[in-house]
Amino acid sequence: MTELNADVKRLLDRPNYAHVATLLPDGAPHTVPVWIAREGEDVAILTGPGSRKARNTERDPRVAISLVDVDQPYASVLIRGRVVERIDGDRGWEIIDRISRKYTGQPYSPRTDRIVLLIKPDHAEAVIFG
């Protein structure tokens, strides 16, 4: 397990958009933008239970994440890790609403099927130039 350093935490805690890469069944990469947040030393993203990234990580839990600071484009976070838990129900909605408030100031809407993918980082680094 990798401990997240202060720069990584700072960038994850801001409303920066991230991209998560997963692996398709044929091994090709698949990447999509996501809302992201910390859950302790883990990373949380929300998705639909039947989404491509949910299906990909159910088969192969490895992911790569990149995030760029919206206010300082030369500051980024790079994470490699694996999905270790899928969270739904009340606990999932608590995390989803917290993530949504970070980006929109409001709970997540609409209240449709959503889950949280909890990612345990194997590698996490902040890269800051300038």
Side-chain angles (χ1 to χ4, degrees), residues 1-129:
M1 178 176 129
T2 294
E3 209 170 292
L4 304 176
N5 70 37
D7 287 332
V8 170
K9 289 178 180 179
R10 179 179 56 81
L11 290 168
L12 285 172
D13 289 346
R14 293 180 31 87
N16 294 312
Y17 296 95
H19 285 84
V20 62
T22 61
L23 296 171
L24 292 166
D26 68 359
H30 174 263
T31 185
V32 293
V34 295
W35 287 351
I36 193 167
R38 282 189 306 121
E39 281 295 305
E41 293 296 316
D42 295 332
V43 175
I45 62 172
L46 61 113
T47 192
S51 71
R52 171 51 65 192
K53 64 185 160 295
R55 294 190 324 261
N56 286 349
T57 59
E58 191 168 333
R59 190 190 68 266
D60 185 334
R62 294 176 298 166
V63 299
I65 298 168
S66 65
L67 171 150
V68 174
D69 189 330
V70 68
D71 294 326
Q72 185 183 2
Y74 296 108
S76 62
V77 169
L78 309 171
I79 297 172
R80 286 188 312 272
R82 64 193 182 292
V83 173
V84 294
E85 189 176 356
R86 294 166 188 277
I87 305 168
D88 59 9
D90 291 343
R91 181 174 169 226
W93 280 106
E94 286 175 19
I95 297 167
I96 291 166
D97 285 340
R98 188 169 354 104
I99 294 171
S100 181
R101 281 186 188 95
K102 180 171 102 170
Y103 288 92
T104 70
Q106 300 177 26
Y108 189 82
S109 180
R111 299 309 261 196
T112 57
D113 282 343
R114 287 286 174 251
I115 61 170
V116 172
L117 300 179
L118 195 63
I119 299 159
K120 185 162 297 300
D122 296 322
H123 171 86
E125 68 178 307
V127 179
I128 301 173
F129 298 104

